[in-house]
């Protein structure tokens, strides 16, 4: 019998956590073909969340932190717990109860049937009435850009409703302080994980997001993660981008000097093009060398950090 963990990141959710757990416990009862446990990671809640969780002691596992560590750290804690306790799959489900819990059995079976390492529950943005038109547009465009970079077809790259396999839990580690959703897709492709998606039912709005203050803040942080992930996990793509930005204009400028020089035997003009073009090429090579050193150092540090990782959340 396969072991399933339902992991719930939780921070100041006193208004929704009891209902969320009631729903999850109900869905757990429907998964009688599996051995299912529910893990709630209380990330330094300052309201009555912990007291409410303790009322469910017989039904759930609680990991707690006195300080708020952030969603990425909670994700790492859940993955670490999954690996150390030999679960076959972990379901990530938000404590604000925005996702349809009744989709868990179907999403899980889809993941198993398709042998997915990451199965993403995809929201229908056209039917997500509580999202503004701007946010819907940003979600659609952002998902399209990330999908093209990764050569996948994912219509919702930021969905937090996901199934991860044991293989994924052993492989993935979030290195940013914002959110794990986008970075782990880049990691997954780099590590050869199988990534699929399934449409889910209507998503509810239970509260405003705590990850960002505005759409601008969301875009800024997301772009930073995408750029960082491209350089870390898609180095060929990064090289192409840098070549377009520096090598192409550098060669064009150099050609203004060298074409007349080789054709006519001399070129007393276009000295400025020679200097600027040389500058472009020099900057490109210096930046590439620096980048390769930094990437190599970062990856070694990340691997070391993951190998000696100690979760900041522990049992109460």
């Amino acid at each position: 019998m396969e072991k399933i963990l339902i992991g719930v990141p939780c921070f100041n959710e006193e208004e929704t956590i009891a209902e969320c757990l009631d729903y999850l416990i109900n869905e757990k009862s429907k998964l009688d073909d599996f051995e299912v446990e529910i893990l709630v990671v209380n990330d330094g809640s300052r309201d009555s969340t912990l007291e409410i969780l303790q009322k469910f002691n017989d039904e759930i596992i609680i990991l707690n932190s006195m300080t708020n560590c952030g969603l990425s750290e909670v994700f790492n804690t859940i993955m670490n717990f999954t690996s150390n306790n030999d679960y076959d799959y972990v379901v990530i489900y938000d404590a604000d109860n925005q996702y349809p819990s009744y989709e868990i059995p179907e999403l899980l079976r889809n993941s198993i049937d398709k042998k997915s390492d990451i199965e993403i529950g995809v929201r229908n943005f056209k039917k997500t009435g509580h999202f503004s038109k701007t946010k819907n547009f940003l979600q659609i465009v952002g998902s399209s850009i990330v999908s093209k970079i990764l050569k996948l077809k994912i219509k919702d790259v930021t969905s937090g409703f996901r199934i991860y396999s044991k293989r994924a839990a052993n492989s993935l580690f979030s290195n940013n302080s914002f959110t794990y959703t986008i970075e782990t897709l880049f990691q997954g492709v780099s590590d050869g994980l199988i990534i699929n998606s399934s449409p889910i039912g209507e998503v509810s709005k239970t509260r405003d997001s705590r990850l960002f203050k505005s759409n601008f803040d969301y875009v800024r942080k997301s772009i930073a993660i995408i750029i960082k992930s491209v350089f870390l996990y898609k180095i060929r793509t990064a090289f192409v981008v840098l070549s377009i930005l520096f090598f192409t204009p550098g060669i064009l400028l150099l050609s203004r000097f060298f074409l007349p020089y080789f054709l006519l035997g001399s070129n007393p003009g276009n000295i400025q093009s020679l200097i600027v073009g040389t500058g472009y090429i020099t900057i490109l090579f210096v930046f590439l060398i620096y980048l390769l050193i930094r990437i190599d150092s970062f990856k070694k540090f990340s691997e070391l950090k993951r190998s000696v990782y100690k979760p900041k959340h522990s049992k109460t």
Side-chain angles (χ1 to χ4, degrees), residues 40-82:
V40 180
V41 181
N42 179 42
D43 192 33
S45 295
R46 294 185 290 269
D47 58 7
S48 61
T49 294
L50 182 57
E51 289 79 5
I52 297 172
L53 291 176
Q54 288 170 339
K55 295 177 182 179
F56 290 85
N57 260 334
D58 295 336
E59 299 281 358
I60 66 173
I61 303 165
I62 304 171
L63 296 183
N64 187 57
S65 170
M66 298 302 293
T67 59
N68 179 246
C69 303
L71 184 57
S72 287
E73 183 63 31
V74 172
F75 173 81
N76 290 337
T77 293
I78 294 174
M79 294 295 107
N80 180 266
F81 190 90
T82 301

Side-chain angles (χ1 to χ4, degrees), residues 142-175:
S143 294
S144 177
I145 292 172
V146 172
S147 292
K148 288 181 180 179
I149 294 173
L150 296 178
K151 297 180 180 179
L152 297 172
K153 291 183 179 180
I154 306 173
K155 294 183 178 180
D156 186 3
V157 298
T158 62
S159 172
F161 189 20
R162 300 185 177 190
I163 312 285
Y164 292 93
S165 70
K166 180 192 299 185
R167 183 184 174 206
N170 291 332
S171 171
L172 300 177
F173 189 86
S174 181
N175 291 288

